[in-house]
Amino acid sequence: MRHLLLTLRYRGTNYHGFQVQQNALSVAQVVQDAVEAVFGARLDVKGCSRTDAGVHANRFALALRTESGIPCDAVVRAMNVRLPEDIAVTGCREVPEEFHPRYSCTGKRYLYKIYNSPVRDPFLSGLALHWKYPLDENAMDAAARQFIGTHDFAAFCSAGGSVEDTVRTITAASVAREGALVTFSVTGSGFLYNMVRIMTGTLLEVSRGALAPSDIPRILAGRDRAAAGPTAPPHGLYLDAVFY
Amino acid sequence: MRHLLLTLRYRGTNYHGFQVQQNALSVAQVVQDAVEAVFGARLDVKGCSRTDAGVHANRFALALRTESGIPCDAVVRAMNVRLPEDIAVTGCREVPEEFHPRYSCTGKRYLYKIYNSPVRDPFLSGLALHWKYPLDENAMDAAARQFIGTHDFAAFCSAGGSVEDTVRTITAASVAREGALVTFSVTGSGFLYNMVRIMTGTLLEVSRGALAPSDIPRILAGRDRAAAGPTAPPHGLYLDAVFY
């Protein structure tokens, strides 16, 4: 039995996240349809994470087991013929039997993109949060750096997450501007439910002066979701990298 | 009577070009609906050009006449509240009575974007031509520069154009690569029907070696549409600037 790891890139606008759901089209369901056409059987696919509706992936990893001998480069080509234009398989390699795309993962990087301009950009509709008022990316960057380290992120977790342990390690976090695009980049060992979106909502509170960068350690220590900022909408969020 | 010039930016994917058409949604129709809501009357809007279905605009200009005293910055804000996410008004200014967005135009710049990579990019679906095989951007650039000057572009004009005079002046033309994105940029006094898309199709023939850059003067001189390359699809084309 071969164990294949496929990397995907997808625009999440038309999907209710990665995970298969009843009565809603998911990325996994569309991928499984293509897998069935390519491998001749409906195979189970295991993803590296659930993503929310409207969230994008520059790099997402999923694994499947097959008896098929089809070479990896042919898998990439055949899958891309069958997938819709908003999903692409970017790579395929064999992994050991015990590999698990979620539990073998040593870290992930997320980006949150904000288009900061009085007038929206029609080409970024669904691809970045549009923010009309001036953003202070320096204050946001100073606040983002307060997330670095091993902390209890209970204040940055939406109800509905099933985990008990809310301690996570963030290895890199920063905010940078390129023209009108302000991007929050955060890398860590793992992330809680809605964690990056709540971090982003909190950075936006810092930008408008409602919170200071120095408030972040206090919010972390308080473990109170209500002390952090609102949950930023999904369409600015990108799973950017998965590390194994 | 005030005469207002509005600049637009739009993603053309969902529209059958700028011009109002029967049984097909056009950018002009959607703009006229917003104009009616903002100005309280269904006003005629005159565009700087017709664009084909699926073609985009980084900058498009249209003019309208109104008795309304609503200030220009308020026009921009009010229009953007009413327009869908794939169209934005980026500016508004008053122009003289005799101004015409099409006939007062001294030149235009178009871009044609090609995503050159074995695997498509889901984020560029509808926004760039996907070209799987290696492109020779240096040969394409050498060929593009042959378009510069005043020439009869009859070989680069689709049937269906109504003009008799097919002489146009191209002031700049080049091809450049930025990573996987290969962009043809062309500026001129005016363009014939499908001219930039046929130029692009011809540059693609040069890239694959079916034509040489030195063939361009011969194709221009021959005035035979069949000697030029195929018409590249609309979704890579952007009206990038309109000069007055």
Side-chain angles (χ1 to χ4, degrees):
Chain A
M1 182 74 91
R2 292 164 78 210
H3 196 189
L4 300 182
L5 183 72
L6 274 66
T7 48
L8 293 186
R9 187 167 158 90
Y10 61 82
R11 177 180 169 130
T13 311
N14 297 326
Y15 303 99
H16 286 262
F18 178 77
Q19 205 72 6
V20 170
Q21 289 181 29
Q22 289 217 316
N23 308 320
L25 189 67
S26 65
V27 174
Q29 188 182 324
V30 172
V31 169
Q32 278 182 323
D33 291 346
V35 163
E36 187 169 358
V38 172
F39 293 91
R42 191 138 193 109
L43 305 175
D44 188 39
V45 301
K46 284 197 166 50
C48 63
S49 84
R50 294 159 183 244
T51 56
D52 284 336
V55 171
H56 315 291
N58 287 328
R59 192 179 176 88
F60 187 97
L62 64 85
L64 57 87
R65 290 170 210 275
T66 177
E67 301 283 3
S68 158
I70 176 171
C72 274
D73 56 347
V75 169
V76 173
R77 283 196 304 272
M79 286 290 292
N80 284 328
V81 168
R82 281 151 185 101
L83 286 168
E85 287 222 323
D86 51 8
I87 304 179
V89 171
T90 54
C92 175
R93 64 182 172 97
E94 296 206 29
V95 286
E97 168 57 27
E98 68 276 13
F99 181 93
H100 191 288
R102 188 162 172 193
Y103 304 118
S104 302
C105 169
T106 57
K108 294 192 185 93
R109 181 173 62 236
Y110 283 94
L111 304 179
Y112 196 99
K113 299 188 185 182
I114 306 169
Y115 181 69
N116 186 32
S117 172
V119 175
R120 67 174 170 268
D121 183 343
F123 297 104
L124 293 178
S125 170
L127 295 175
L129 175 65
H130 178 217
W131 199 262
K132 288 184 187 186
Y133 309 102
L135 281 180
D136 181 348
E137 68 273 17
N138 296 317
M140 292 170 75
D141 183 58
R145 288 171 194 276
Q146 301 291 322
F147 292 131
I148 298 172
T150 300
H151 306 288
D152 186 334
F153 283 95
F156 294 87
C157 178
S158 286
S162 54
V163 292
E164 307 242 318
D165 178 9
T166 50
V167 174
R168 293 292 183 277
T169 298
I170 297 300
T171 52
S174 60
V175 173
R177 175 186 291 273
E178 257 192 83
L181 204 65
V182 174
T183 302
F184 169 43
S185 171
V186 58
T187 306
S189 59
F191 291 87
L192 302 169
Y193 186 52
N194 281 349
M195 182 165 148
V196 181
R197 291 167 56 190
I198 299 170
M199 285 171 150
T200 304
T202 306
L203 297 179
L204 290 168
E205 291 291 274
V206 169
S207 173
R208 72 178 183 91
L211 290 171
S214 58
D215 287 325
I216 302 293
R218 181 182 57 73
I219 296 170
L220 286 165
R223 306 184 70 252
D224 176 11
R225 169 70 189 88
T231 306
H235 65 275
L237 186 61
Y238 293 70
L239 175 55
D240 192 52
V242 192
F243 304 109
Y244 293 109
Chain B
M1 183 74 92
R2 292 164 77 209
H3 197 189
L4 300 182
L5 183 72
L6 274 65
T7 48
L8 292 186
R9 186 167 159 90
Y10 61 81
R11 178 180 168 130
T13 312
N14 298 325
Y15 303 99
H16 286 260
F18 178 77
Q19 206 73 5
V20 170
Q21 290 182 28
Q22 288 216 317
N23 309 321
L25 189 67
S26 66
V27 174
Q29 186 182 327
V30 172
V31 169
Q32 279 182 322
D33 291 346
V35 163
E36 187 168 0
V38 171
F39 293 91
R42 191 138 193 108
L43 305 174
D44 189 38
V45 301
K46 284 195 166 54
C48 62
S49 84
R50 293 158 184 246
T51 58
D52 283 335
V55 171
H56 315 290
N58 288 329
R59 194 180 177 87
F60 187 98
L62 64 86
L64 58 87
R65 292 170 207 276
T66 176
E67 301 284 1
S68 158
I70 177 172
C72 274
D73 56 347
V75 169
V76 174
R77 282 196 305 273
M79 286 291 291
N80 283 327
V81 167
R82 282 154 183 96
L83 285 168
E85 288 223 324
D86 51 9
I87 304 178
V89 171
T90 53
C92 174
R93 63 182 173 97
E94 296 205 30
V95 286
E97 168 56 27
E98 68 276 12
F99 181 93
H100 191 288
R102 188 162 173 193
Y103 305 117
S104 302
C105 171
T106 57
K108 295 194 185 90
R109 181 173 61 236
Y110 283 93
L111 304 179
Y112 196 99
K113 299 188 186 184
I114 306 169
Y115 181 68
N116 184 33
S117 172
V119 175
R120 67 174 170 267
D121 184 343
F123 297 104
L124 293 177
S125 169
L127 295 176
L129 175 64
H130 178 216
W131 199 263
K132 287 184 187 185
Y133 310 101
L135 282 179
D136 182 348
E137 69 271 17
N138 296 317
M140 293 170 74
D141 183 58
R145 289 171 193 277
Q146 301 291 322
F147 293 131
I148 299 173
T150 300
H151 306 288
D152 186 335
F153 284 94
F156 295 86
C157 178
S158 287
S162 53
V163 291
E164 308 243 317
D165 178 9
T166 50
V167 173
R168 294 291 183 276
T169 298
I170 297 299
T171 53
S174 61
V175 173
R177 175 186 291 273
E178 258 191 83
L181 205 65
V182 173
T183 302
F184 169 43
S185 172
V186 58
T187 306
S189 60
F191 292 86
L192 302 170
Y193 186 51
N194 282 348
M195 181 165 148
V196 181
R197 290 167 55 190
I198 299 170
M199 286 171 151
T200 304
T202 306
L203 298 180
L204 290 168
E205 292 290 275
V206 170
S207 173
R208 72 179 183 91
L211 290 172
S214 59
D215 287 325
I216 302 292
R218 181 183 56 75
I219 296 170
L220 285 165
R223 304 184 72 252
D224 176 11
R225 169 69 190 89
T231 307
H235 66 275
L237 185 62
Y238 293 70
L239 176 54
D240 192 51
V242 192
F243 304 108
Y244 293 108

PDB file of all heavy atoms in Angstrom, chain A residues 153-176:
ATOM      1  N   PHE A 153      -3.072  30.571  24.958  1.00  0.00           N
ATOM      2  CA  PHE A 153      -3.815  31.434  24.029  1.00  0.00           C
ATOM      3  C   PHE A 153      -5.339  31.316  24.208  1.00  0.00           C
ATOM      4  O   PHE A 153      -6.083  31.555  23.257  1.00  0.00           O
ATOM      5  CB  PHE A 153      -3.405  31.128  22.585  1.00  0.00           C
ATOM      6  CG  PHE A 153      -2.062  31.708  22.202  1.00  0.00           C
ATOM      7  CD1 PHE A 153      -0.907  30.944  22.300  1.00  0.00           C
ATOM      8  CD2 PHE A 153      -1.948  33.030  21.772  1.00  0.00           C
ATOM      9  CE1 PHE A 153       0.339  31.483  21.960  1.00  0.00           C
ATOM     10  CE2 PHE A 153      -0.711  33.577  21.433  1.00  0.00           C
ATOM     11  CZ  PHE A 153       0.434  32.799  21.533  1.00  0.00           C
ATOM     12  N   ALA A 154      -5.792  30.957  25.416  1.00  0.00           N
ATOM     13  CA  ALA A 154      -7.230  30.792  25.673  1.00  0.00           C
ATOM     14  C   ALA A 154      -8.026  32.051  25.283  1.00  0.00           C
ATOM     15  O   ALA A 154      -9.164  31.946  24.802  1.00  0.00           O
ATOM     16  CB  ALA A 154      -7.464  30.447  27.142  1.00  0.00           C
ATOM     17  N   ALA A 155      -7.435  33.234  25.451  1.00  0.00           N
ATOM     18  CA  ALA A 155      -8.140  34.480  25.112  1.00  0.00           C
ATOM     19  C   ALA A 155      -8.284  34.646  23.596  1.00  0.00           C
ATOM     20  O   ALA A 155      -9.069  35.469  23.133  1.00  0.00           O
ATOM     21  CB  ALA A 155      -7.391  35.686  25.699  1.00  0.00           C
ATOM     22  N   PHE A 156      -7.509  33.854  22.851  1.00  0.00           N
ATOM     23  CA  PHE A 156      -7.526  33.958  21.386  1.00  0.00           C
ATOM     24  C   PHE A 156      -8.119  32.704  20.751  1.00  0.00           C
ATOM     25  O   PHE A 156      -7.657  32.236  19.719  1.00  0.00           O
ATOM     26  CB  PHE A 156      -6.100  34.211  20.873  1.00  0.00           C
ATOM     27  CG  PHE A 156      -5.560  35.549  21.303  1.00  0.00           C
ATOM     28  CD1 PHE A 156      -4.918  35.706  22.532  1.00  0.00           C
ATOM     29  CD2 PHE A 156      -5.734  36.673  20.504  1.00  0.00           C
ATOM     30  CE1 PHE A 156      -4.454  36.946  22.936  1.00  0.00           C
ATOM     31  CE2 PHE A 156      -5.263  37.915  20.909  1.00  0.00           C
ATOM     32  CZ  PHE A 156      -4.625  38.061  22.129  1.00  0.00           C
ATOM     33  N   CYS A 157      -9.140  32.163  21.400  1.00  0.00           N
ATOM     34  CA  CYS A 157      -9.771  30.924  20.934  1.00  0.00           C
ATOM     35  C   CYS A 157     -11.277  31.069  21.012  1.00  0.00           C
ATOM     36  O   CYS A 157     -11.811  31.449  22.058  1.00  0.00           O
ATOM     37  CB  CYS A 157      -9.293  29.763  21.811  1.00  0.00           C
ATOM     38  SG  CYS A 157     -10.041  28.185  21.383  1.00  0.00           S
ATOM     39  N   SER A 158     -11.964  30.790  19.895  1.00  0.00           N
ATOM     40  CA  SER A 158     -13.423  30.866  19.898  1.00  0.00           C
ATOM     41  C   SER A 158     -14.020  29.665  20.622  1.00  0.00           C
ATOM     42  O   SER A 158     -13.452  28.566  20.580  1.00  0.00           O
ATOM     43  CB  SER A 158     -13.960  30.855  18.467  1.00  0.00           C
ATOM     44  OG  SER A 158     -13.726  32.085  17.840  1.00  0.00           O
ATOM     45  N   ALA A 159     -15.154  29.868  21.255  1.00  0.00           N
ATOM     46  CA  ALA A 159     -15.934  28.754  21.791  1.00  0.00           C
ATOM     47  C   ALA A 159     -16.234  27.822  20.612  1.00  0.00           C
ATOM     48  O   ALA A 159     -16.419  28.273  19.481  1.00  0.00           O
ATOM     49  CB  ALA A 159     -17.231  29.261  22.396  1.00  0.00           C
ATOM     50  N   GLY A 160     -16.269  26.537  20.845  1.00  0.00           N
ATOM     51  CA  GLY A 160     -16.509  25.604  19.747  1.00  0.00           C
ATOM     52  C   GLY A 160     -15.269  24.787  19.456  1.00  0.00           C
ATOM     53  O   GLY A 160     -15.331  23.743  18.847  1.00  0.00           O
ATOM     54  N   GLY A 161     -14.112  25.281  19.908  1.00  0.00           N
ATOM     55  CA  GLY A 161     -12.892  24.482  19.796  1.00  0.00           C
ATOM     56  C   GLY A 161     -12.993  23.346  20.809  1.00  0.00           C
ATOM     57  O   GLY A 161     -13.555  23.525  21.891  1.00  0.00           O
ATOM     58  N   SER A 162     -12.448  22.180  20.453  1.00  0.00           N
ATOM     59  CA  SER A 162     -12.646  21.015  21.311  1.00  0.00           C
ATOM     60  C   SER A 162     -11.431  20.751  22.193  1.00  0.00           C
ATOM     61  O   SER A 162     -11.466  19.896  23.065  1.00  0.00           O
ATOM     62  CB  SER A 162     -12.925  19.786  20.445  1.00  0.00           C
ATOM     63  OG  SER A 162     -11.892  19.649  19.491  1.00  0.00           O
ATOM     64  N   VAL A 163     -10.335  21.496  21.988  1.00  0.00           N
ATOM     65  CA  VAL A 163      -9.120  21.190  22.739  1.00  0.00           C
ATOM     66  C   VAL A 163      -9.199  21.666  24.181  1.00  0.00           C
ATOM     67  O   VAL A 163      -9.874  22.641  24.495  1.00  0.00           O
ATOM     68  CB  VAL A 163      -7.873  21.823  22.072  1.00  0.00           C
ATOM     69  CG1 VAL A 163      -7.595  21.147  20.741  1.00  0.00           C
ATOM     70  CG2 VAL A 163      -8.046  23.319  21.902  1.00  0.00           C
ATOM     71  N   GLU A 164      -8.495  20.944  25.045  1.00  0.00           N
ATOM     72  CA  GLU A 164      -8.458  21.313  26.461  1.00  0.00           C
ATOM     73  C   GLU A 164      -7.208  22.145  26.738  1.00  0.00           C
ATOM     74  O   GLU A 164      -7.242  23.096  27.490  1.00  0.00           O
ATOM     75  CB  GLU A 164      -8.394  20.043  27.314  1.00  0.00           C
ATOM     76  CG  GLU A 164      -9.490  19.033  26.981  1.00  0.00           C
ATOM     77  CD  GLU A 164     -10.394  18.777  28.155  1.00  0.00           C
ATOM     78  OE1 GLU A 164      -9.881  18.657  29.273  1.00  0.00           O
ATOM     79  OE2 GLU A 164     -11.636  18.715  27.938  1.00  0.00           O
ATOM     80  N   ASP A 165      -6.114  21.762  26.067  1.00  0.00           N
ATOM     81  CA  ASP A 165      -4.844  22.449  26.292  1.00  0.00           C
ATOM     82  C   ASP A 165      -4.741  23.624  25.334  1.00  0.00           C
ATOM     83  O   ASP A 165      -4.673  23.429  24.125  1.00  0.00           O
ATOM     84  CB  ASP A 165      -3.694  21.463  26.069  1.00  0.00           C
ATOM     85  CG  ASP A 165      -2.340  22.130  26.249  1.00  0.00           C
ATOM     86  OD1 ASP A 165      -2.306  23.300  26.700  1.00  0.00           O
ATOM     87  OD2 ASP A 165      -1.325  21.498  25.920  1.00  0.00           O
ATOM     88  N   THR A 166      -4.738  24.845  25.862  1.00  0.00           N
ATOM     89  CA  THR A 166      -4.722  26.036  25.001  1.00  0.00           C
ATOM     90  C   THR A 166      -3.339  26.688  24.946  1.00  0.00           C
ATOM     91  O   THR A 166      -3.215  27.834  24.525  1.00  0.00           O
ATOM     92  CB  THR A 166      -5.791  27.043  25.469  1.00  0.00           C
ATOM     93  OG1 THR A 166      -5.650  27.243  26.881  1.00  0.00           O
ATOM     94  CG2 THR A 166      -7.194  26.530  25.183  1.00  0.00           C
ATOM     95  N   VAL A 167      -2.317  25.938  25.372  1.00  0.00           N
ATOM     96  CA  VAL A 167      -0.952  26.458  25.285  1.00  0.00           C
ATOM     97  C   VAL A 167      -0.385  26.147  23.899  1.00  0.00           C
ATOM     98  O   VAL A 167      -0.483  25.014  23.417  1.00  0.00           O
ATOM     99  CB  VAL A 167      -0.056  25.839  26.385  1.00  0.00           C
ATOM    100  CG1 VAL A 167       1.411  26.264  26.189  1.00  0.00           C
ATOM    101  CG2 VAL A 167      -0.543  26.267  27.766  1.00  0.00           C
ATOM    102  N   ARG A 168       0.160  27.179  23.239  1.00  0.00           N
ATOM    103  CA  ARG A 168       0.763  27.010  21.916  1.00  0.00           C
ATOM    104  C   ARG A 168       2.057  27.804  21.859  1.00  0.00           C
ATOM    105  O   ARG A 168       2.232  28.772  22.619  1.00  0.00           O
ATOM    106  CB  ARG A 168      -0.188  27.513  20.806  1.00  0.00           C
ATOM    107  CG  ARG A 168      -1.465  26.691  20.648  1.00  0.00           C
ATOM    108  CD  ARG A 168      -1.186  25.293  20.106  1.00  0.00           C
ATOM    109  NE  ARG A 168      -2.410  24.520  19.884  1.00  0.00           N
ATOM    110  CZ  ARG A 168      -3.076  23.829  20.803  1.00  0.00           C
ATOM    111  NH1 ARG A 168      -2.649  23.824  22.058  1.00  0.00           N
ATOM    112  NH2 ARG A 168      -4.148  23.141  20.480  1.00  0.00           N
ATOM    113  N   THR A 169       2.926  27.419  20.927  1.00  0.00           N
ATOM    114  CA  THR A 169       4.191  28.133  20.752  1.00  0.00           C
ATOM    115  C   THR A 169       4.197  28.851  19.408  1.00  0.00           C
ATOM    116  O   THR A 169       4.009  28.228  18.362  1.00  0.00           O
ATOM    117  CB  THR A 169       5.381  27.158  20.825  1.00  0.00           C
ATOM    118  OG1 THR A 169       5.392  26.558  22.126  1.00  0.00           O
ATOM    119  CG2 THR A 169       6.703  27.890  20.589  1.00  0.00           C
ATOM    120  N   ILE A 170       4.368  30.157  19.456  1.00  0.00           N
ATOM    121  CA  ILE A 170       4.480  30.972  18.238  1.00  0.00           C
ATOM    122  C   ILE A 170       5.965  31.295  18.042  1.00  0.00           C
ATOM    123  O   ILE A 170       6.604  31.854  18.936  1.00  0.00           O
ATOM    124  CB  ILE A 170       3.642  32.271  18.388  1.00  0.00           C
ATOM    125  CG1 ILE A 170       2.149  31.943  18.539  1.00  0.00           C
ATOM    126  CG2 ILE A 170       3.871  33.204  17.197  1.00  0.00           C
ATOM    127  CD1 ILE A 170       1.525  31.197  17.377  1.00  0.00           C
ATOM    128  N   THR A 171       6.476  30.939  16.860  1.00  0.00           N
ATOM    129  CA  THR A 171       7.911  31.125  16.618  1.00  0.00           C
ATOM    130  C   THR A 171       8.201  32.405  15.824  1.00  0.00           C
ATOM    131  O   THR A 171       9.328  32.904  15.862  1.00  0.00           O
ATOM    132  CB  THR A 171       8.485  29.917  15.850  1.00  0.00           C
ATOM    133  OG1 THR A 171       7.679  29.690  14.689  1.00  0.00           O
ATOM    134  CG2 THR A 171       8.440  28.661  16.717  1.00  0.00           C
ATOM    135  N   ALA A 172       7.231  32.920  15.106  1.00  0.00           N
ATOM    136  CA  ALA A 172       7.427  34.157  14.349  1.00  0.00           C
ATOM    137  C   ALA A 172       6.083  34.846  14.184  1.00  0.00           C
ATOM    138  O   ALA A 172       5.054  34.181  13.964  1.00  0.00           O
ATOM    139  CB  ALA A 172       8.042  33.869  12.987  1.00  0.00           C
ATOM    140  N   ALA A 173       6.069  36.159  14.298  1.00  0.00           N
ATOM    141  CA  ALA A 173       4.836  36.941  14.100  1.00  0.00           C
ATOM    142  C   ALA A 173       5.233  38.363  13.763  1.00  0.00           C
ATOM    143  O   ALA A 173       6.040  38.970  14.474  1.00  0.00           O
ATOM    144  CB  ALA A 173       3.962  36.918  15.356  1.00  0.00           C
ATOM    145  N   SER A 174       4.695  38.881  12.666  1.00  0.00           N
ATOM    146  CA  SER A 174       5.042  40.244  12.268  1.00  0.00           C
ATOM    147  C   SER A 174       3.964  40.811  11.351  1.00  0.00           C
ATOM    148  O   SER A 174       3.153  40.063  10.789  1.00  0.00           O
ATOM    149  CB  SER A 174       6.393  40.265  11.544  1.00  0.00           C
ATOM    150  OG  SER A 174       6.330  39.462  10.392  1.00  0.00           O
ATOM    151  N   VAL A 175       3.970  42.124  11.208  1.00  0.00           N
ATOM    152  CA  VAL A 175       3.056  42.819  10.286  1.00  0.00           C
ATOM    153  C   VAL A 175       3.901  43.686   9.372  1.00  0.00           C
ATOM    154  O   VAL A 175       4.790  44.396   9.838  1.00  0.00           O
ATOM    155  CB  VAL A 175       2.028  43.682  11.050  1.00  0.00           C
ATOM    156  CG1 VAL A 175       1.207  44.523  10.073  1.00  0.00           C
ATOM    157  CG2 VAL A 175       1.107  42.789  11.894  1.00  0.00           C
ATOM    158  N   ALA A 176       3.657  43.598   8.072  1.00  0.00           N
ATOM    159  CA  ALA A 176       4.429  44.405   7.114  1.00  0.00           C
ATOM    160  C   ALA A 176       3.499  44.989   6.067  1.00  0.00           C
ATOM    161  O   ALA A 176       2.473  44.388   5.718  1.00  0.00           O
ATOM    162  CB  ALA A 176       5.496  43.549   6.448  1.00  0.00           C
TER     163      ALA A 176
END
